Amino acid sequence: MFAMHDNRFGTSIATYPSTCYCKMCVSSHPSACTSFSSNAFTINRLKIILLYQYEEADIMATISVFPSPTGTPIANAVAQAVAGDIVLVHNGTYPEPAVTISVSNVKVIAKNEGGAVRDGSNGANAAFVITADSGVEINGFSIQNYTAPSFGIIVVAGSNHRIVGNAINHTNGVGIALNIGTGHVVWRNKVEHAGSFSGIYVASSHNWIVQNAVGKNTGSGITIGGSDNAVVGNVVSDNGFLGISITGSNNNFIYGNTATLNNMDGIGIASENPVLLRNLAEKNIGNGIIVSVTGANGILGGNDLDENTQAGISLNSNFSSVQFNEMELNQNFGLSISGSKNTAFGNRFTGNQPTQISITGLDNNLF
């Protein structure tokens, strides 16, 4: 046996037996070949081409980036990247203009989480803009001082992008914006002091917003304007409006979030078929959870609503189910139902004022 190597990669791309019909083998190892035919040569050449292409397509590059006070090192690296490449950004401050990622399946990752700083003091309109069709990941950056009308990270095209582990602080616009697409994951980000209407804004559908810490923003913490999204395990606190706002969309799943000390309701729903399970909403200036008249056919189960200045749960919608929630020390009823044909059972009430339950709607069932 002998191996043929690709010198660029130092890897074997084909292995031949000692008796071979390849023309290349005939010229290099004439004693090893006993015969030759054009058909055999064509077949073996095809094997070489296919194996070579497979090997070349399987190579993934890591492009390392280091700070430059005047250049655009991240943008330059991204411009060189092809699908599958990693742009690995080392510690330091990167004040360059907005970096646009237009190639699918490129990952832009801070080598040490929080160590690579995107600074917008130069008036850039965003730290990162994603325009690729699919599979981009932005991971581990500290993004700060985007004080022009700007975003931290914005998705304007494509699907299945990943925004993970970033700390976004002091943006004049939204911290993270998913304007379009489906299947995006926003996970483990920290968004504070966003000056626009929301820390995280989701206009698209079928996305995962998971385990983010969103606080001290001018508007709401998380705003969902698309349908079929999952908002899971986030902490939203001390925001200027609502903790979590779901509006103009349907079939959203809100699970295991903590909404506290917000200047309006902890969680506000103005969409149909919402599912709210095991959330904690406490000490908000407003209701713990409010489901407005457009939020029909929801289910609210296992939530904990404590010490809010309005009701623990305010249900203004119809045909919803409220079950096994705990409402304690809220200042304007534990449960307030002004909608019709709702069902409530298995709930626990402690110390709510002026009474535990208020029902002004018609044909509601409590047991």
Side-chain angles (χ1 to χ4, degrees):
M1 304 286 286
F2 69 92
M4 182 176 178
H5 292 268
D6 184 341
N7 291 328
R8 294 180 306 160
F9 302 114
T11 55
S12 298
I13 61 173
T15 303
Y16 296 92
S18 58
T19 301
C20 179
Y21 298 100
C22 173
K23 185 176 182 180
M24 188 181 300
C25 184
V26 171
S27 60
S28 301
H29 303 274
S31 62
C33 291
T34 58
S35 62
F36 172 79
S37 73
S38 60
N39 290 337
F41 168 64
T42 300
I43 293 170
N44 280 281
R45 185 175 65 174
L46 180 60
K47 288 180 180 178
I48 292 170
I49 292 170
L50 291 174
L51 285 165
Y52 176 80
Q53 289 177 340
Y54 176 82
E55 186 78 26
E56 186 174 37
D58 216 34
I59 297 300
M60 181 179 69
T62 298
I63 306 170
S64 290
V65 178
F66 298 89
S68 170
T70 57
T72 56
I74 301 176
N76 292 343
V78 166
Q80 298 174 36
V82 299
D85 285 355
I86 296 172
V87 175
L88 188 64
V89 183
H90 289 249
N91 288 6
T93 300
Y94 296 81
E96 61 190 278
V99 174
T100 299
I101 302 98
S102 59
V103 176
S104 295
N105 301 306
V106 168
K107 296 178 174 64
V108 185
I109 300 176
K111 188 174 188 298
N112 299 298
E113 189 166 304
V117 179
R118 290 285 284 119
D119 190 275
S121 299
N122 60 359
N125 61 1
F128 294 101
V129 180
I130 300 175
T131 64
D133 287 339
S134 66
V136 168
E137 182 173 327
I138 308 295
N139 192 316
F141 287 85
S142 178
I143 296 170
Q144 63 186 31
N145 300 327
Y146 282 79
T147 54
S150 59
F151 300 85
I153 300 172
I154 180 171
V155 175
V156 297
S159 298
N160 302 111
H161 300 308
R162 309 288 184 259
I163 300 172
V164 179
N166 302 284
I168 302 173
N169 196 7
H170 286 103
T171 60
N172 193 41
V174 173
I176 297 172
L178 306 183
N179 283 5
I180 200 166
T182 62
H184 305 307
V185 176
V186 178
W187 175 44
R188 288 200 311 104
N189 300 281
K190 184 177 183 180
V191 181
E192 292 185 333
H193 301 291
S196 187
F197 63 91
S198 191
I200 297 174
Y201 173 59
V202 180
S204 57
S205 300
H206 297 97
N207 303 295
W208 290 86
I209 313 301
V210 183
Q211 292 181 333
N212 301 283
V214 189
K216 302 177 183 177
N217 299 290
T218 300
S220 296
I222 298 172
T223 300
I224 306 295
S227 299
D228 302 295
N229 294 289
V231 182
V232 179
N234 302 281
V235 176
V236 287
S237 62
D238 200 21
N239 294 289
F241 292 169
L242 290 78
I244 298 172
S245 175
I246 314 291
T247 182
S249 57
N250 302 318
N251 307 312
N252 290 294
F253 178 60
I254 317 301
Y255 179 87
N257 302 282
T258 297
T260 183
L261 297 170
N262 298 288
N263 284 337
M264 293 178 66
D265 306 309
I267 302 173
I269 308 294
S271 60
E272 292 191 355
N273 311 314
V275 177
L276 294 93
L277 304 178
R278 301 184 66 84
N279 300 285
L280 170 64
E282 64 178 3
K283 299 179 180 178
N284 298 287
I285 302 175
N287 302 284
I289 296 174
I290 181 170
V291 183
S292 74
V293 67
T294 57
N297 196 36
I299 180 166
L300 291 73
N303 301 288
D304 192 353
L305 304 315
D306 304 325
E307 299 183 65
N308 299 287
T309 63
Q310 294 296 315
I313 295 175
S314 178
L315 194 61
N316 302 327
S317 63
N318 306 323
F319 304 108
S320 292
S321 178
V322 180
Q323 50 188 281
F324 300 108
N325 302 281
E326 294 192 11
M327 288 153 272
E328 182 175 352
L329 299 175
N330 298 287
Q331 296 180 26
N332 194 25
F333 307 109
L335 173 62
S336 175
I337 302 177
S338 58
S340 300
K341 299 181 180 178
N342 298 286
T343 301
F345 62 90
N347 300 287
R348 297 178 59 183
F349 303 92
T350 304
N352 300 285
Q353 298 296 326
T355 61
Q356 307 290 7
I357 301 173
S358 170
I359 301 175
T360 57
L362 301 175
D363 298 323
N364 295 288
N365 296 295
L366 276 71
F367 56 93

